[in-house]
Amino acid sequence: FEFMYGRTFTKWWSASKTYGPTVKHLMRVFRFKLALVRRARERWPKFVSFEEDIELRKPKWNAKYSERPGVEKMLVVMWDMTGIDAYKFSSAEDQRDTYSKYYAGNKFKGGIGTQLCGYGVTWELWTGHCSDSTYHEESGYLQEQEEFQKRYLVDGEIVRFCNVHDKGYRVRAANERHGNQLTAQPVFGKSDLRFK
Protein backbone atom coordinates (compact mmCIF):
# COMPACT_ATOMS: atom_id res chain seq x y z
CA PHE A 1 0.00 0.00 0.00
CA GLU A 2 2.68 2.45 0.99
CA PHE A 3 4.59 1.98 -2.25
CA MET A 4 1.55 2.07 -4.52
CA TYR A 5 0.22 5.31 -3.09
CA GLY A 6 3.47 6.86 -1.84
CA ARG A 7 2.12 7.38 1.67
CA THR A 8 5.14 6.75 3.87
CA PHE A 9 7.91 4.90 2.04
CA THR A 10 9.32 5.94 -1.30
CA LYS A 11 12.51 3.87 -1.21
CA TRP A 12 12.96 0.13 -0.73
CA TRP A 13 15.90 0.46 1.64
CA SER A 14 13.87 2.54 4.13
CA ALA A 15 11.09 -0.10 4.16
CA SER A 16 13.73 -2.81 4.65
CA LYS A 17 15.27 -0.89 7.54
CA THR A 18 11.87 -0.38 9.21
CA TYR A 19 10.33 -3.82 8.72
CA GLY A 20 13.40 -6.09 8.60
CA PRO A 21 13.10 -8.21 5.41
CA THR A 22 15.61 -7.62 2.66
CA VAL A 23 14.83 -5.42 -0.31
CA LYS A 24 14.67 -8.52 -2.52
CA HIS A 25 11.99 -10.13 -0.32
CA LEU A 26 9.98 -6.91 -0.02
CA MET A 27 9.98 -6.52 -3.81
CA ARG A 28 8.81 -10.12 -4.22
CA VAL A 29 5.90 -9.56 -1.80
CA PHE A 30 5.00 -6.29 -3.54
CA ARG A 31 4.98 -7.93 -7.01
CA PHE A 32 2.88 -10.81 -5.66
CA LYS A 33 0.32 -8.39 -4.21
CA LEU A 34 0.13 -6.38 -7.42
CA ALA A 35 -0.38 -9.59 -9.43
CA LEU A 36 -3.13 -10.62 -7.01
CA VAL A 37 -4.89 -7.26 -7.42
CA ARG A 38 -4.58 -7.45 -11.20
CA ARG A 39 -6.02 -10.98 -11.36
CA ALA A 40 -8.93 -9.90 -9.16
CA ARG A 41 -9.63 -6.86 -11.36
CA GLU A 42 -9.54 -8.93 -14.54
CA ARG A 43 -12.24 -11.23 -13.16
CA TRP A 44 -14.72 -8.38 -12.81
CA PRO A 45 -16.78 -7.58 -15.91
CA LYS A 46 -15.59 -4.52 -17.77
CA PHE A 47 -19.13 -3.21 -18.16
CA VAL A 48 -22.50 -3.62 -16.45
CA SER A 49 -25.23 -5.51 -18.32
CA PHE A 50 -28.32 -3.73 -19.60
CA GLU A 51 -30.54 -5.27 -16.91
CA GLU A 52 -28.14 -4.26 -14.12
CA ASP A 53 -27.84 -0.75 -15.52
CA ILE A 54 -31.64 -0.31 -15.61
CA GLU A 55 -31.98 -1.68 -12.07
CA LEU A 56 -29.20 0.35 -10.45
CA ARG A 57 -29.39 3.75 -12.11
CA LYS A 58 -31.21 6.78 -10.71
CA PRO A 59 -34.74 7.43 -11.96
CA LYS A 60 -33.69 10.71 -13.64
CA TRP A 61 -31.87 8.73 -16.36
CA ASN A 62 -35.01 6.81 -17.23
CA ALA A 63 -36.61 9.97 -18.61
CA LYS A 64 -34.02 10.06 -21.38
CA TYR A 65 -32.90 6.44 -21.76
CA SER A 66 -35.86 4.36 -20.56
CA GLU A 67 -37.50 1.45 -22.32
CA ARG A 68 -40.39 2.86 -24.33
CA PRO A 69 -42.07 1.70 -27.52
CA GLY A 70 -40.07 2.94 -30.48
CA VAL A 71 -36.99 3.77 -28.37
CA GLU A 72 -33.97 1.54 -28.88
CA LYS A 73 -32.45 -0.12 -25.83
CA MET A 74 -28.87 1.02 -25.32
CA LEU A 75 -26.00 0.77 -22.88
CA VAL A 76 -24.85 4.34 -22.28
CA VAL A 77 -21.22 5.03 -21.32
CA MET A 78 -19.94 8.57 -20.82
CA TRP A 79 -16.28 8.62 -21.87
CA ASP A 80 -13.63 11.20 -21.14
CA MET A 81 -9.88 11.40 -20.71
CA THR A 82 -7.86 12.16 -17.63
CA GLY A 83 -4.41 13.65 -17.51
CA ILE A 84 -1.97 12.32 -14.95
CA ASP A 85 1.14 14.38 -14.26
CA ALA A 86 4.42 12.90 -15.43
CA TYR A 87 7.75 14.16 -14.22
CA LYS A 88 10.08 15.81 -16.71
CA PHE A 89 12.08 13.16 -18.49
CA SER A 90 15.76 13.58 -19.26
CA SER A 91 15.33 11.98 -22.68
CA ALA A 92 14.14 14.35 -25.41
CA GLU A 93 12.17 11.52 -27.02
CA ASP A 94 10.29 10.79 -23.76
CA GLN A 95 9.64 14.53 -23.31
CA ARG A 96 8.16 14.70 -26.81
CA ASP A 97 6.03 11.56 -26.34
CA THR A 98 4.50 12.68 -23.05
CA TYR A 99 4.04 16.40 -23.78
CA SER A 100 0.40 17.43 -24.12
CA LYS A 101 -0.44 20.76 -25.77
CA TYR A 102 -3.86 20.73 -24.12
CA TYR A 103 -2.40 20.44 -20.60
CA ALA A 104 0.81 22.34 -21.50
CA GLY A 105 2.98 19.77 -19.74
CA ASN A 106 4.11 16.17 -19.55
CA LYS A 107 1.18 13.83 -18.96
CA PHE A 108 -0.07 10.30 -19.18
CA LYS A 109 -3.64 10.00 -20.44
CA GLY A 110 -6.19 7.34 -19.66
CA GLY A 111 -9.79 6.71 -20.62
CA ILE A 112 -12.49 6.93 -17.96
CA GLY A 113 -16.02 5.73 -18.60
CA THR A 114 -19.11 5.91 -16.42
CA GLN A 115 -22.32 4.00 -17.05
CA LEU A 116 -25.65 5.52 -16.02
CA CYS A 117 -25.84 3.32 -12.92
CA GLY A 118 -22.54 4.78 -11.70
CA TYR A 119 -20.30 1.82 -12.61
CA GLY A 120 -16.87 3.19 -13.43
CA VAL A 121 -14.51 1.91 -16.10
CA THR A 122 -10.86 2.84 -16.35
CA TRP A 123 -8.71 2.05 -19.33
CA GLU A 124 -4.98 1.86 -19.89
CA LEU A 125 -2.61 4.82 -19.73
CA TRP A 126 -1.04 6.21 -22.87
CA THR A 127 1.47 8.98 -23.35
CA GLY A 128 0.08 12.50 -23.29
CA HIS A 129 1.07 13.29 -26.87
CA CYS A 130 -1.75 11.24 -28.46
CA SER A 131 -5.07 12.90 -29.19
CA ASP A 132 -8.31 11.89 -27.50
CA SER A 133 -9.72 10.69 -30.82
CA THR A 134 -6.67 8.49 -31.51
CA TYR A 135 -6.90 7.01 -28.03
CA HIS A 136 -10.59 6.27 -28.55
CA GLU A 137 -9.98 4.50 -31.85
CA GLU A 138 -6.89 2.50 -30.91
CA SER A 139 -6.91 1.79 -27.14
CA GLY A 140 -9.20 -1.23 -27.42
CA TYR A 141 -12.27 -0.35 -25.40
CA LEU A 142 -14.45 -0.12 -28.51
CA GLN A 143 -13.49 -3.71 -29.34
CA GLU A 144 -14.29 -4.76 -25.76
CA GLN A 145 -17.68 -3.06 -25.97
CA GLU A 146 -18.37 -4.78 -29.29
CA GLU A 147 -17.58 -8.19 -27.78
CA PHE A 148 -19.64 -7.39 -24.67
CA GLN A 149 -22.74 -6.42 -26.63
CA LYS A 150 -22.51 -9.64 -28.66
CA ARG A 151 -22.17 -11.77 -25.51
CA TYR A 152 -24.88 -10.20 -23.34
CA LEU A 153 -28.06 -10.31 -25.42
CA VAL A 154 -31.41 -9.04 -24.14
CA ASP A 155 -34.38 -11.07 -25.35
CA GLY A 156 -32.10 -12.56 -28.02
CA GLU A 157 -31.16 -9.16 -29.42
CA ILE A 158 -28.00 -7.07 -29.29
CA VAL A 159 -28.21 -3.94 -27.12
CA ARG A 160 -25.80 -1.46 -28.66
CA PHE A 161 -23.51 0.82 -26.69
CA CYS A 162 -24.10 4.56 -26.91
CA ASN A 163 -20.83 6.37 -26.23
CA VAL A 164 -21.24 9.93 -24.95
CA HIS A 165 -18.22 12.16 -25.66
CA ASP A 166 -17.31 15.78 -25.17
CA LYS A 167 -16.54 18.17 -28.00
CA GLY A 168 -12.87 17.16 -28.41
CA TYR A 169 -13.58 13.77 -29.97
CA ARG A 170 -14.04 12.92 -33.65
CA VAL A 171 -15.20 9.34 -33.25
CA ARG A 172 -18.51 8.66 -34.98
CA ALA A 173 -16.96 6.52 -37.75
CA ALA A 174 -14.87 4.51 -35.26
CA ASN A 175 -17.96 3.73 -33.17
CA GLU A 176 -19.84 2.51 -36.25
CA ARG A 177 -16.93 0.27 -37.31
CA HIS A 178 -17.04 -1.55 -33.96
CA GLY A 179 -20.43 -3.20 -33.73
CA ASN A 180 -22.36 -0.21 -35.09
CA GLN A 181 -22.18 1.53 -31.71
CA LEU A 182 -24.05 4.79 -31.24
CA THR A 183 -22.50 8.18 -30.53
CA ALA A 184 -23.93 11.07 -28.55
CA GLN A 185 -21.94 14.25 -28.69
CA PRO A 186 -23.05 17.79 -27.93
CA VAL A 187 -22.84 20.38 -30.69
CA PHE A 188 -20.95 23.43 -29.40
CA GLY A 189 -20.72 25.38 -32.63
CA LYS A 190 -21.61 25.36 -36.32
CA SER A 191 -18.20 23.89 -37.13
CA ASP A 192 -19.13 20.73 -35.20
CA LEU A 193 -22.12 20.07 -37.44
CA ARG A 194 -19.94 18.98 -40.37
CA PHE A 195 -18.60 16.05 -38.31
CA LYS A 196 -22.04 14.51 -37.76
mmCIF file of all heavy atoms in Angstrom, residues 84-100:
data_model
loop_
_atom_site.group_PDB
_atom_site.id
_atom_site.type_symbol
_atom_site.label_atom_id
_atom_site.label_comp_id
_atom_site.label_asym_id
_atom_site.label_seq_id
_atom_site.Cartn_x
_atom_site.Cartn_y
_atom_site.Cartn_z
ATOM 1 N N ILE A 84 -2.719 12.590 -16.166
ATOM 2 C CA ILE A 84 -1.973 12.319 -14.946
ATOM 3 C C ILE A 84 -0.572 12.903 -15.123
ATOM 4 O O ILE A 84 0.109 12.629 -16.115
ATOM 5 C CB ILE A 84 -1.898 10.800 -14.677
ATOM 6 C CG1 ILE A 84 -3.316 10.265 -14.469
ATOM 7 C CG2 ILE A 84 -1.000 10.494 -13.492
ATOM 8 C CD1 ILE A 84 -3.404 8.771 -14.423
ATOM 9 N N ASP A 85 -0.165 13.718 -14.162
ATOM 10 C CA ASP A 85 1.137 14.380 -14.260
ATOM 11 C C ASP A 85 2.269 13.369 -14.387
ATOM 12 O O ASP A 85 2.301 12.360 -13.703
ATOM 13 C CB ASP A 85 1.400 15.241 -13.026
ATOM 14 C CG ASP A 85 0.509 16.466 -12.981
ATOM 15 O OD1 ASP A 85 0.097 16.932 -14.061
ATOM 16 O OD2 ASP A 85 0.223 16.950 -11.876
ATOM 17 N N ALA A 86 3.193 13.682 -15.283
ATOM 18 C CA ALA A 86 4.421 12.903 -15.429
ATOM 19 C C ALA A 86 5.574 13.842 -15.118
ATOM 20 O O ALA A 86 5.510 15.030 -15.416
ATOM 21 C CB ALA A 86 4.557 12.360 -16.846
ATOM 22 N N TYR A 87 6.603 13.312 -14.495
ATOM 23 C CA TYR A 87 7.751 14.164 -14.220
ATOM 24 C C TYR A 87 8.482 14.457 -15.522
ATOM 25 O O TYR A 87 8.278 13.791 -16.522
ATOM 26 C CB TYR A 87 8.685 13.506 -13.208
ATOM 27 C CG TYR A 87 9.122 12.113 -13.573
ATOM 28 C CD1 TYR A 87 10.206 11.891 -14.414
ATOM 29 C CD2 TYR A 87 8.440 10.999 -13.081
ATOM 30 C CE1 TYR A 87 10.599 10.617 -14.753
ATOM 31 C CE2 TYR A 87 8.832 9.716 -13.416
ATOM 32 C CZ TYR A 87 9.918 9.536 -14.262
ATOM 33 O OH TYR A 87 10.305 8.272 -14.601
ATOM 34 N N LYS A 88 9.323 15.463 -15.509
ATOM 35 C CA LYS A 88 10.080 15.808 -16.706
ATOM 36 C C LYS A 88 11.151 14.755 -16.947
ATOM 37 O O LYS A 88 11.961 14.469 -16.080
ATOM 38 C CB LYS A 88 10.725 17.175 -16.567
ATOM 39 C CG LYS A 88 9.841 18.298 -16.998
ATOM 40 C CD LYS A 88 10.664 19.529 -17.241
ATOM 41 C CE LYS A 88 9.858 20.480 -18.090
ATOM 42 N NZ LYS A 88 10.579 21.671 -18.399
ATOM 43 N N PHE A 89 11.116 14.204 -18.134
ATOM 44 C CA PHE A 89 12.079 13.160 -18.491
ATOM 45 C C PHE A 89 13.376 13.784 -18.982
ATOM 46 O O PHE A 89 13.385 14.868 -19.563
ATOM 47 C CB PHE A 89 11.494 12.263 -19.583
ATOM 48 C CG PHE A 89 10.285 11.495 -19.133
ATOM 49 C CD1 PHE A 89 9.005 11.964 -19.382
ATOM 50 C CD2 PHE A 89 10.434 10.288 -18.463
ATOM 51 C CE1 PHE A 89 7.895 11.257 -18.967
ATOM 52 C CE2 PHE A 89 9.325 9.581 -18.044
ATOM 53 C CZ PHE A 89 8.057 10.063 -18.296
ATOM 54 N N SER A 90 14.470 13.080 -18.783
ATOM 55 C CA SER A 90 15.760 13.582 -19.261
ATOM 56 C C SER A 90 15.923 13.321 -20.755
ATOM 57 O O SER A 90 16.631 14.036 -21.441
ATOM 58 C CB SER A 90 16.905 12.947 -18.476
ATOM 59 O OG SER A 90 16.846 11.537 -18.594
ATOM 60 N N SER A 91 15.248 12.310 -21.258
ATOM 61 C CA SER A 91 15.329 11.979 -22.677
ATOM 62 C C SER A 91 14.411 12.890 -23.484
ATOM 63 O O SER A 91 13.230 13.054 -23.158
ATOM 64 C CB SER A 91 14.914 10.515 -22.879
ATOM 65 O OG SER A 91 14.555 10.275 -24.214
ATOM 66 N N ALA A 92 14.939 13.462 -24.563
ATOM 67 C CA ALA A 92 14.136 14.346 -25.415
ATOM 68 C C ALA A 92 12.982 13.580 -26.055
ATOM 69 O O ALA A 92 11.879 14.112 -26.210
ATOM 70 C CB ALA A 92 15.019 14.971 -26.489
ATOM 71 N N GLU A 93 13.226 12.336 -26.402
ATOM 72 C CA GLU A 93 12.173 11.517 -27.018
ATOM 73 C C GLU A 93 11.012 11.289 -26.034
ATOM 74 O O GLU A 93 9.845 11.399 -26.410
ATOM 75 C CB GLU A 93 12.747 10.173 -27.462
ATOM 76 C CG GLU A 93 11.758 9.301 -28.188
ATOM 77 C CD GLU A 93 12.378 7.980 -28.639
ATOM 78 O OE1 GLU A 93 13.571 7.754 -28.404
ATOM 79 O OE2 GLU A 93 11.620 7.177 -29.209
ATOM 80 N N ASP A 94 11.337 10.981 -24.773
ATOM 81 C CA ASP A 94 10.288 10.794 -23.764
ATOM 82 C C ASP A 94 9.550 12.099 -23.476
ATOM 83 O O ASP A 94 8.337 12.094 -23.262
ATOM 84 C CB ASP A 94 10.895 10.245 -22.464
ATOM 85 C CG ASP A 94 11.382 8.813 -22.614
ATOM 86 O OD1 ASP A 94 10.918 8.122 -23.539
ATOM 87 O OD2 ASP A 94 12.228 8.397 -21.801
ATOM 88 N N GLN A 95 10.280 13.218 -23.498
ATOM 89 C CA GLN A 95 9.642 14.528 -23.310
ATOM 90 C C GLN A 95 8.615 14.773 -24.419
ATOM 91 O O GLN A 95 7.495 15.195 -24.171
ATOM 92 C CB GLN A 95 10.686 15.655 -23.370
ATOM 93 C CG GLN A 95 11.507 15.786 -22.148
ATOM 94 C CD GLN A 95 10.822 16.644 -21.107
ATOM 95 O OE1 GLN A 95 9.613 16.731 -21.035
ATOM 96 N NE2 GLN A 95 11.624 17.269 -20.276
ATOM 97 N N ARG A 96 9.022 14.478 -25.659
ATOM 98 C CA ARG A 96 8.157 14.703 -26.812
ATOM 99 C C ARG A 96 6.928 13.792 -26.760
ATOM 100 O O ARG A 96 5.816 14.205 -27.048
ATOM 101 C CB ARG A 96 8.955 14.472 -28.096
ATOM 102 C CG ARG A 96 8.243 14.820 -29.361
ATOM 103 C CD ARG A 96 9.133 14.740 -30.604
ATOM 104 N NE ARG A 96 9.921 13.527 -30.680
ATOM 105 C CZ ARG A 96 11.244 13.462 -30.475
ATOM 106 N NH1 ARG A 96 11.912 14.539 -30.171
ATOM 107 N NH2 ARG A 96 11.894 12.317 -30.567
ATOM 108 N N ASP A 97 7.134 12.530 -26.371
ATOM 109 C CA ASP A 97 6.034 11.561 -26.337
ATOM 110 C C ASP A 97 4.999 11.871 -25.256
ATOM 111 O O ASP A 97 3.820 11.568 -25.424
ATOM 112 C CB ASP A 97 6.571 10.146 -26.111
ATOM 113 C CG ASP A 97 7.262 9.589 -27.338
ATOM 114 O OD1 ASP A 97 7.051 10.136 -28.443
ATOM 115 O OD2 ASP A 97 8.012 8.608 -27.194
ATOM 116 N N THR A 98 5.423 12.442 -24.159
ATOM 117 C CA THR A 98 4.498 12.684 -23.048
ATOM 118 C C THR A 98 3.969 14.112 -22.993
ATOM 119 O O THR A 98 3.081 14.397 -22.203
ATOM 120 C CB THR A 98 5.162 12.366 -21.688
ATOM 121 O OG1 THR A 98 6.332 13.171 -21.536
ATOM 122 C CG2 THR A 98 5.512 10.892 -21.585
ATOM 123 N N TYR A 99 4.491 14.998 -23.841
ATOM 124 C CA TYR A 99 4.042 16.400 -23.775
ATOM 125 C C TYR A 99 2.653 16.531 -24.384
ATOM 126 O O TYR A 99 2.373 16.070 -25.482
ATOM 127 C CB TYR A 99 5.011 17.337 -24.497
ATOM 128 C CG TYR A 99 4.640 18.786 -24.303
ATOM 129 C CD1 TYR A 99 4.975 19.439 -23.128
ATOM 130 C CD2 TYR A 99 3.912 19.471 -25.267
ATOM 131 C CE1 TYR A 99 4.614 20.756 -22.915
ATOM 132 C CE2 TYR A 99 3.541 20.787 -25.064
ATOM 133 C CZ TYR A 99 3.896 21.425 -23.887
ATOM 134 O OH TYR A 99 3.530 22.721 -23.673
ATOM 135 N N SER A 100 1.764 17.178 -23.660
ATOM 136 C CA SER A 100 0.400 17.429 -24.122
ATOM 137 C C SER A 100 0.205 18.923 -24.306
ATOM 138 O O SER A 100 0.391 19.700 -23.366
ATOM 139 C CB SER A 100 -0.607 16.898 -23.093
ATOM 140 O OG SER A 100 -1.903 17.369 -23.373
#
